[in-house]
Amino acid sequence: MKKFKCLLTAMLLGCSTMSFAQFMNGSGSSASSSDVEAWKGLRFSYDRTFVNQDWEDADDMDMNGFSIGYEHAFKVAKKLPIFIQTGLDFNFARYKDDESEYDDYYGESWEYEDKITSLGLSIPVNFVYGVKINDMLAIKPYTGFYLRVNLMAKEKYTETWSDGTDSESEETETNLFDEDEVKEAYGSKDWTWNRVQAGWQIGATLDISKFNVGIGYALDFNEITEKTKTSKFMVKLGYNF
């Protein structure tokens, strides 16, 4: 995980450096970086969320999900292509774990399935540097901060036993924001999730006419629950109006 973060950060910083160098040297394009205009548009991203749990015998969780949102950028310098970009993103993520065991001699089996589903709303504030490569292409590295409100987080745990003839199943649903339900499920209310998260992010997008693609990485500042932080890798697609 640490190697992945370092590699991604190096790629994004390298992208930013090359963009700035191209702007200063004017190489590879007759267009000027200052020709980059403010934009607005829709965004979709595939999200890989890493849940890092810093307590004994805990396994890190990887959640798959996606984000759908709106992005709006405002130019803040007359002669330089520097923008402030904000917007609104709806984030969905899901974790699933399951395991089963079977005893050939007695014909007995046991299995469980654990699912966590979350929904959030994020508000980013990024600083963007735009470099126009030609009439069709522009590259836009960015970095900034975000505020995320966790709207929903539920865990569904199902356990099933069978002796080969009869089976029995037990299902538990937990609202991870409810202290009483969390205490009943985990034995302590300390594992209750926080409603509000804030963090830092970095990334870059490539505009291809009105379409764009990009990658990004985000890291929460505060814990989502006891000794647990989240980070996220994003692959983005978008369309500018």
Short mmCIF file of all heavy atoms in Angstrom, two decimals, residues 205-240:
data_model
loop_
_atom_site.label_atom_id
_atom_site.label_comp_id
_atom_site.label_asym_id
_atom_site.label_seq_id
_atom_site.Cartn_x
_atom_site.Cartn_y
_atom_site.Cartn_z
N THR A 205 -6.02 15.54 -14.92
CA THR A 205 -6.97 15.14 -15.95
C THR A 205 -6.44 15.58 -17.31
O THR A 205 -5.67 16.54 -17.43
CB THR A 205 -8.36 15.77 -15.73
OG1 THR A 205 -8.24 17.20 -15.76
CG2 THR A 205 -8.95 15.34 -14.41
N LEU A 206 -6.85 14.87 -18.33
CA LEU A 206 -6.52 15.19 -19.71
C LEU A 206 -7.80 15.47 -20.45
O LEU A 206 -8.66 14.59 -20.57
CB LEU A 206 -5.76 14.04 -20.36
CG LEU A 206 -5.45 14.21 -21.87
CD1 LEU A 206 -4.47 15.35 -22.09
CD2 LEU A 206 -4.92 12.90 -22.46
N ASP A 207 -7.96 16.70 -20.95
CA ASP A 207 -9.12 17.06 -21.75
C ASP A 207 -8.89 16.66 -23.19
O ASP A 207 -7.83 16.95 -23.77
CB ASP A 207 -9.38 18.57 -21.67
CG ASP A 207 -10.01 18.99 -20.36
OD1 ASP A 207 -10.10 18.14 -19.46
OD2 ASP A 207 -10.40 20.17 -20.25
N ILE A 208 -9.87 16.00 -23.77
CA ILE A 208 -9.86 15.64 -25.18
C ILE A 208 -11.11 16.25 -25.79
O ILE A 208 -12.19 15.65 -25.72
CB ILE A 208 -9.82 14.11 -25.39
CG1 ILE A 208 -8.66 13.50 -24.57
CG2 ILE A 208 -9.68 13.76 -26.85
CD1 ILE A 208 -8.68 11.99 -24.54
N SER A 209 -10.98 17.45 -26.32
CA SER A 209 -12.13 18.25 -26.74
C SER A 209 -13.01 18.47 -25.52
O SER A 209 -12.54 18.93 -24.48
CB SER A 209 -12.87 17.56 -27.89
OG SER A 209 -13.88 18.41 -28.40
N LYS A 210 -14.29 18.09 -25.57
CA LYS A 210 -15.19 18.28 -24.44
C LYS A 210 -15.14 17.13 -23.44
O LYS A 210 -15.71 17.22 -22.35
CB LYS A 210 -16.62 18.48 -24.94
CG LYS A 210 -16.85 19.80 -25.65
CD LYS A 210 -18.30 19.96 -26.03
CE LYS A 210 -18.57 21.32 -26.65
NZ LYS A 210 -18.38 22.43 -25.69
N PHE A 211 -14.46 16.04 -23.80
CA PHE A 211 -14.36 14.89 -22.90
C PHE A 211 -13.05 14.95 -22.11
O PHE A 211 -12.10 15.63 -22.50
CB PHE A 211 -14.42 13.58 -23.71
CG PHE A 211 -15.71 13.39 -24.44
CD1 PHE A 211 -15.86 13.82 -25.75
CD2 PHE A 211 -16.79 12.77 -23.82
CE1 PHE A 211 -17.05 13.65 -26.42
CE2 PHE A 211 -17.99 12.59 -24.48
CZ PHE A 211 -18.13 13.04 -25.80
N ASN A 212 -12.99 14.24 -20.99
CA ASN A 212 -11.75 14.20 -20.23
C ASN A 212 -11.64 12.90 -19.45
O ASN A 212 -12.64 12.26 -19.10
CB ASN A 212 -11.64 15.40 -19.28
CG ASN A 212 -12.82 15.55 -18.38
OD1 ASN A 212 -12.98 14.80 -17.43
ND2 ASN A 212 -13.68 16.53 -18.66
N VAL A 213 -10.38 12.52 -19.20
CA VAL A 213 -10.06 11.34 -18.40
C VAL A 213 -9.03 11.77 -17.36
O VAL A 213 -8.31 12.75 -17.55
CB VAL A 213 -9.50 10.19 -19.26
CG1 VAL A 213 -10.54 9.69 -20.24
CG2 VAL A 213 -8.24 10.62 -20.01
N GLY A 214 -8.96 11.04 -16.25
CA GLY A 214 -7.99 11.43 -15.24
C GLY A 214 -7.84 10.38 -14.15
O GLY A 214 -8.54 9.37 -14.12
N ILE A 215 -6.85 10.63 -13.29
CA ILE A 215 -6.63 9.79 -12.12
C ILE A 215 -6.44 10.70 -10.91
O ILE A 215 -6.10 11.87 -11.05
CB ILE A 215 -5.39 8.87 -12.28
CG1 ILE A 215 -4.13 9.71 -12.54
CG2 ILE A 215 -5.60 7.84 -13.36
CD1 ILE A 215 -2.85 8.89 -12.53
N GLY A 216 -6.68 10.14 -9.72
CA GLY A 216 -6.51 10.93 -8.52
C GLY A 216 -6.33 10.05 -7.30
O GLY A 216 -6.62 8.85 -7.32
N TYR A 217 -5.85 10.68 -6.24
CA TYR A 217 -5.66 9.99 -4.96
C TYR A 217 -6.12 10.92 -3.85
O TYR A 217 -5.80 12.12 -3.86
CB TYR A 217 -4.19 9.60 -4.77
CG TYR A 217 -3.92 8.97 -3.42
CD1 TYR A 217 -4.31 7.66 -3.16
CD2 TYR A 217 -3.31 9.70 -2.41
CE1 TYR A 217 -4.07 7.09 -1.92
CE2 TYR A 217 -3.06 9.14 -1.17
CZ TYR A 217 -3.44 7.83 -0.93
OH TYR A 217 -3.22 7.26 0.30
N ALA A 218 -6.87 10.39 -2.89
CA ALA A 218 -7.39 11.18 -1.78
C ALA A 218 -7.08 10.49 -0.46
O ALA A 218 -7.10 9.26 -0.38
CB ALA A 218 -8.90 11.37 -1.93
N LEU A 219 -6.79 11.28 0.56
CA LEU A 219 -6.43 10.75 1.87
C LEU A 219 -7.16 11.53 2.96
O LEU A 219 -7.03 12.76 3.04
CB LEU A 219 -4.92 10.84 2.09
CG LEU A 219 -4.39 10.42 3.47
CD1 LEU A 219 -4.61 8.92 3.69
CD2 LEU A 219 -2.90 10.76 3.59
N ASP A 220 -7.92 10.83 3.81
CA ASP A 220 -8.62 11.49 4.91
C ASP A 220 -7.65 11.95 5.99
O ASP A 220 -6.70 11.25 6.32
CB ASP A 220 -9.64 10.54 5.53
CG ASP A 220 -10.87 10.35 4.67
OD1 ASP A 220 -11.01 11.07 3.66
OD2 ASP A 220 -11.71 9.49 5.00
N PHE A 221 -7.92 13.12 6.57
CA PHE A 221 -7.13 13.61 7.70
C PHE A 221 -7.55 12.94 9.01
O PHE A 221 -6.71 12.57 9.82
CB PHE A 221 -7.31 15.13 7.85
CG PHE A 221 -6.69 15.94 6.75
CD1 PHE A 221 -7.31 17.10 6.30
CD2 PHE A 221 -5.50 15.55 6.16
CE1 PHE A 221 -6.74 17.86 5.28
CE2 PHE A 221 -4.92 16.31 5.14
CZ PHE A 221 -5.55 17.46 4.70
N ASN A 222 -8.83 12.82 9.21
CA ASN A 222 -9.34 12.29 10.48
C ASN A 222 -9.83 10.85 10.33
O ASN A 222 -10.13 10.39 9.23
CB ASN A 222 -10.45 13.18 11.04
CG ASN A 222 -11.61 13.32 10.09
OD1 ASN A 222 -11.43 13.49 8.89
ND2 ASN A 222 -12.83 13.26 10.62
N GLU A 223 -9.92 10.16 11.45
CA GLU A 223 -10.36 8.77 11.46
C GLU A 223 -11.86 8.67 11.19
O GLU A 223 -12.63 9.50 11.65
CB GLU A 223 -10.04 8.11 12.80
CG GLU A 223 -8.55 8.04 13.11
CD GLU A 223 -8.28 7.46 14.48
OE1 GLU A 223 -9.20 7.49 15.33
OE2 GLU A 223 -7.14 6.99 14.69
N ILE A 224 -12.24 7.63 10.47
CA ILE A 224 -13.66 7.40 10.23
C ILE A 224 -14.29 6.67 11.41
O ILE A 224 -15.47 6.81 11.70
CB ILE A 224 -13.89 6.62 8.92
CG1 ILE A 224 -15.36 6.69 8.52
CG2 ILE A 224 -13.40 5.19 9.02
CD1 ILE A 224 -15.63 6.21 7.12
N THR A 225 -13.46 5.89 12.11
CA THR A 225 -13.83 5.26 13.37
C THR A 225 -12.54 4.96 14.12
O THR A 225 -11.45 5.33 13.65
CB THR A 225 -14.67 3.98 13.14
OG1 THR A 225 -15.10 3.48 14.41
CG2 THR A 225 -13.87 2.92 12.42
N GLU A 226 -12.63 4.34 15.27
CA GLU A 226 -11.48 4.12 16.14
C GLU A 226 -10.30 3.49 15.40
O GLU A 226 -10.41 2.40 14.83
CB GLU A 226 -11.88 3.22 17.31
CG GLU A 226 -10.81 2.98 18.33
CD GLU A 226 -10.53 4.17 19.22
OE1 GLU A 226 -11.35 5.11 19.22
OE2 GLU A 226 -9.51 4.16 19.93
N LYS A 227 -9.15 4.20 15.35
CA LYS A 227 -7.91 3.72 14.74
C LYS A 227 -8.08 3.27 13.29
O LYS A 227 -7.42 2.35 12.82
CB LYS A 227 -7.32 2.56 15.56
CG LYS A 227 -6.89 2.96 16.97
CD LYS A 227 -6.25 1.80 17.69
CE LYS A 227 -5.80 2.20 19.09
NZ LYS A 227 -5.16 1.08 19.81
N THR A 228 -8.96 3.95 12.57
CA THR A 228 -9.26 3.57 11.18
C THR A 228 -9.31 4.81 10.30
O THR A 228 -10.08 5.74 10.56
CB THR A 228 -10.60 2.82 11.10
OG1 THR A 228 -10.55 1.68 11.94
CG2 THR A 228 -10.87 2.37 9.68
N LYS A 229 -8.49 4.82 9.25
CA LYS A 229 -8.50 5.90 8.27
C LYS A 229 -8.75 5.32 6.88
O LYS A 229 -8.48 4.15 6.62
CB LYS A 229 -7.17 6.66 8.29
CG LYS A 229 -7.01 7.61 9.46
CD LYS A 229 -5.79 8.50 9.27
CE LYS A 229 -5.68 9.54 10.38
NZ LYS A 229 -4.53 10.44 10.18
N THR A 230 -9.23 6.17 6.00
CA THR A 230 -9.50 5.74 4.63
C THR A 230 -8.73 6.60 3.64
O THR A 230 -8.44 7.77 3.88
CB THR A 230 -11.00 5.81 4.30
OG1 THR A 230 -11.43 7.18 4.36
CG2 THR A 230 -11.82 4.98 5.26
N SER A 231 -8.41 5.99 2.51
CA SER A 231 -7.83 6.69 1.37
C SER A 231 -8.48 6.13 0.11
O SER A 231 -9.14 5.08 0.16
CB SER A 231 -6.31 6.51 1.33
OG SER A 231 -5.95 5.14 1.29
N LYS A 232 -8.28 6.80 -1.01
CA LYS A 232 -9.03 6.41 -2.20
C LYS A 232 -8.24 6.69 -3.47
O LYS A 232 -7.64 7.75 -3.62
CB LYS A 232 -10.37 7.14 -2.23
CG LYS A 232 -11.27 6.78 -3.40
CD LYS A 232 -12.69 7.29 -3.18
CE LYS A 232 -12.77 8.79 -3.10
NZ LYS A 232 -14.17 9.26 -3.00
N PHE A 233 -8.25 5.72 -4.39
CA PHE A 233 -7.70 5.89 -5.73
C PHE A 233 -8.86 6.01 -6.70
O PHE A 233 -9.82 5.23 -6.65
CB PHE A 233 -6.81 4.70 -6.10
CG PHE A 233 -6.37 4.69 -7.54
CD1 PHE A 233 -5.50 5.65 -8.02
CD2 PHE A 233 -6.84 3.73 -8.42
CE1 PHE A 233 -5.10 5.66 -9.34
CE2 PHE A 233 -6.44 3.73 -9.75
CZ PHE A 233 -5.57 4.68 -10.21
N MET A 234 -8.78 6.98 -7.62
CA MET A 234 -9.90 7.26 -8.52
C MET A 234 -9.46 7.27 -9.98
O MET A 234 -8.40 7.80 -10.31
CB MET A 234 -10.50 8.63 -8.17
CG MET A 234 -11.02 8.75 -6.76
SD MET A 234 -11.17 10.48 -6.19
CE MET A 234 -9.44 10.92 -5.94
N VAL A 235 -10.28 6.69 -10.83
CA VAL A 235 -10.12 6.77 -12.28
C VAL A 235 -11.35 7.49 -12.82
O VAL A 235 -12.48 7.03 -12.62
CB VAL A 235 -9.99 5.38 -12.92
CG1 VAL A 235 -9.85 5.51 -14.43
CG2 VAL A 235 -8.79 4.63 -12.35
N LYS A 236 -11.14 8.64 -13.48
CA LYS A 236 -12.26 9.54 -13.78
C LYS A 236 -12.55 9.66 -15.26
O LYS A 236 -11.66 9.59 -16.12
CB LYS A 236 -11.95 10.94 -13.23
CG LYS A 236 -11.70 10.98 -11.74
CD LYS A 236 -11.46 12.40 -11.26
CE LYS A 236 -11.24 12.47 -9.77
NZ LYS A 236 -11.09 13.87 -9.30
N LEU A 237 -13.82 9.84 -15.56
CA LEU A 237 -14.31 10.18 -16.91
C LEU A 237 -15.24 11.38 -16.77
O LEU A 237 -15.96 11.50 -15.77
CB LEU A 237 -15.06 9.01 -17.53
CG LEU A 237 -14.28 7.73 -17.80
CD1 LEU A 237 -15.24 6.63 -18.27
CD2 LEU A 237 -13.20 7.96 -18.84
N GLY A 238 -15.23 12.26 -17.78
CA GLY A 238 -16.09 13.43 -17.66
C GLY A 238 -16.44 14.05 -18.98
O GLY A 238 -15.90 13.69 -20.05
N TYR A 239 -17.37 14.99 -18.91
CA TYR A 239 -17.80 15.74 -20.09
C TYR A 239 -18.03 17.19 -19.67
O TYR A 239 -18.75 17.47 -18.71
CB TYR A 239 -19.10 15.16 -20.66
CG TYR A 239 -19.63 15.91 -21.86
CD1 TYR A 239 -19.08 15.71 -23.12
CD2 TYR A 239 -20.67 16.83 -21.71
CE1 TYR A 239 -19.56 16.40 -24.22
CE2 TYR A 239 -21.15 17.54 -22.80
CZ TYR A 239 -20.59 17.31 -24.06
OH TYR A 239 -21.06 17.99 -25.15
N ASN A 240 -17.40 18.11 -20.40
CA ASN A 240 -17.56 19.55 -20.14
C ASN A 240 -18.63 20.16 -21.01
O ASN A 240 -18.74 19.83 -22.20
CB ASN A 240 -16.23 20.28 -20.37
CG ASN A 240 -15.17 19.89 -19.37
OD1 ASN A 240 -15.47 19.43 -18.27
ND2 ASN A 240 -13.91 20.05 -19.74
#
